Amino acid sequence: MSHPLTRVLTLLELLQSNARLTGTELADRLDTDVRTVRRYTAHLRDLGIPVEAERGRYGGYRLARGYRMPPLVLTNDEALAVVLGLLAAERLGMGTAAPASAGALAKIERVLPHALREPLAAMWETLSFTANAVIGQAPGTGVLLALAQASRARTTVAISHQSWRQEHTERDIDPYGVVFHTGRWYVVGHDHLRDSLRTFRIDRITSVTPRADSFTPPDGFDPVAHLTSTLAQGPYRWQVEVTIHGPLDEIARRLPRSAVTLTAQPTGVLMHARAERLDGMAHMLASLEWPFTINHPDELRQALKNLAAQLTAAAQRKPEELPQ
């Protein structure tokens, strides 16, 4: 933060977001000292904003009870961060059922000064992405927020769920976590109806009702790892098993978590995957820098030979041999 006014506005935002903060806590967040914090609070009081100071060991600063500022006060950097967030959410398919992004942008534009509104509008209209947009099924806002709250509070919820076969069920679940993956929202947790760990697409959940029961998730449970592992075991034509002779950590960084599962073995890293086409699997394996051994299927060997033949032909082809 380079300008004192920016720090004063940030101080106001911190006081609105927290019931009470000590002078030391505020100084640390504003990257300044306690004396300057006292001066900034005096500036806010001069503007008619009732900042209360509590003295003593457990004292601190807070806004007067019941006081509310106008709904939006953004610096240039904060406004840009919000607009970029809306753009990214739209691009990644992270929107909810309501046209929330368009509504949020319209509200931001109404309260911003003209000097900031025009550059942000230009950003919205001209920014391009190298990745293709993701088109996903948007969940209901209330359903998504209710599942997130239950996951954090570790409380059981009742859900109304409709399967891809259009079968409707009522069930209780313990939501261990909410995950966004490739354009869709999922909740991972214990399903009381099936008495097992399950994954549900949130756009197929029509309602969420809190229960009085609480739960404790398994120690070290990772909702993202479980989801990607589950999706990697979907119904594909080919079951692939390959031993890659290299370090697990580096191999894991090179391969998509949603497509493979990796297990450390004495002879290397055992990769399990499922594939609809073996030529794509051949390309993925060929991109690795470590040697590997195909356990099965044998058809993958032929796919690699075909790829090798294509690469050999490309390496030997001379410019004058190019088709006219």
Side-chain angles (χ1 to χ4, degrees):
M1 290 174 236
S2 58
H3 195 278
L5 179 58
T6 302
R7 289 195 177 95
V8 172
L9 292 174
T10 305
L11 170 61
L12 176 58
E13 179 63 29
L14 291 171
L15 293 174
Q16 289 185 104
S17 304
N18 298 272
R20 183 188 61 81
L21 290 171
T22 67
T24 302
E25 290 172 331
L26 288 169
D28 289 343
R29 298 199 189 189
L30 295 171
D31 193 23
T32 186
D33 52 52
V34 175
R35 171 185 268 181
T36 305
V37 168
R38 286 197 293 268
R39 190 169 71 248
Y40 289 164
T41 58
H43 290 332
L44 291 177
R45 293 192 188 100
D46 291 341
L47 294 171
I49 299 171
V51 180
E52 298 179 347
E54 301 173 343
R55 298 186 180 278
R57 181 180 178 184
Y58 300 103
Y61 296 92
R62 70 179 186 183
L63 291 179
R65 295 186 185 280
Y67 180 79
R68 292 290 183 270
M69 281 293 293
L72 192 64
V73 179
L74 295 177
T75 65
N76 288 14
D77 288 346
E78 290 168 344
L80 177 60
V82 171
V83 170
L84 290 177
L86 292 172
L87 281 168
E90 185 178 80
R91 192 70 179 184
L92 294 173
M94 293 183 71
T96 53
S101 295
L105 181 64
K107 291 177 181 177
I108 291 172
E109 288 178 338
R110 282 200 299 269
V111 299
L112 290 177
H114 181 78
L116 183 55
R117 189 184 312 158
E118 288 301 314
L120 288 179
M123 172 66 73
W124 183 272
E125 294 172 6
T126 63
L127 180 63
S128 299
F129 292 81
T130 57
N132 292 330
V134 174
I135 300 175
Q137 284 296 113
T141 302
V143 169
L144 181 61
L145 294 179
L147 289 171
Q149 287 180 294
S151 178
R152 183 178 67 174
R154 298 184 177 180
T155 55
T156 303
V157 293
I159 65 170
S160 297
H161 178 262
Q162 184 169 283
S163 73
W164 64 275
R165 296 188 182 92
Q166 306 301 312
E167 297 171 346
H168 183 84
T169 57
E170 303 284 337
R171 61 184 76 205
D172 286 2
I173 65 169
D174 300 335
Y176 295 160
V178 172
V179 182
F180 179 81
H181 177 69
T182 60
R184 290 195 174 99
W185 293 91
Y186 299 86
V187 59
V188 180
H190 179 76
D191 177 15
H192 291 225
L193 181 64
R194 306 299 185 198
D195 193 23
S196 63
L197 186 61
R198 298 288 300 277
T199 299
F200 298 96
R201 272 179 46 180
I202 297 180
D203 61 284
R204 292 176 177 162
I205 297 175
T206 57
S207 67
V208 178
T209 305
R211 298 292 198 201
D213 301 328
S214 61
F215 65 87
T216 300
D219 290 340
F221 181 77
D222 185 347
V224 173
H226 175 78
L227 174 68
T228 53
S229 175
T230 300
L231 295 179
Q233 298 172 15
Y236 293 97
R237 180 182 178 188
W238 300 101
Q239 308 257 355
V240 177
E241 183 181 292
V242 175
T243 300
I244 305 171
H245 307 286
L248 176 60
D249 291 344
E250 294 185 31
I251 293 172
R253 284 194 290 268
R254 293 286 299 274
L255 296 177
R257 295 175 62 184
S258 60
V260 304
T261 57
L262 302 173
T263 307
Q265 300 284 334
T267 57
V269 175
L270 185 63
M271 183 196 82
H272 284 98
R274 299 191 179 193
E276 192 64 30
R277 294 168 56 96
L278 291 178
D279 53 353
M281 184 62 62
H283 280 82
M284 185 176 73
L285 291 171
S287 70
L288 300 177
E289 59 190 87
W290 306 279
F292 54 85
T293 302
I294 297 172
N295 300 330
H296 62 75
D298 288 335
E299 289 83 353
L300 180 55
R301 304 178 192 278
Q302 186 58 50
L304 280 165
K305 291 178 182 178
N306 294 341
L307 176 60
Q310 294 173 14
L311 294 175
T312 299
Q316 296 175 345
R317 187 178 299 117
K318 297 180 180 180
E320 58 270 18
E321 297 175 356
L322 292 175
Q324 300 298 320

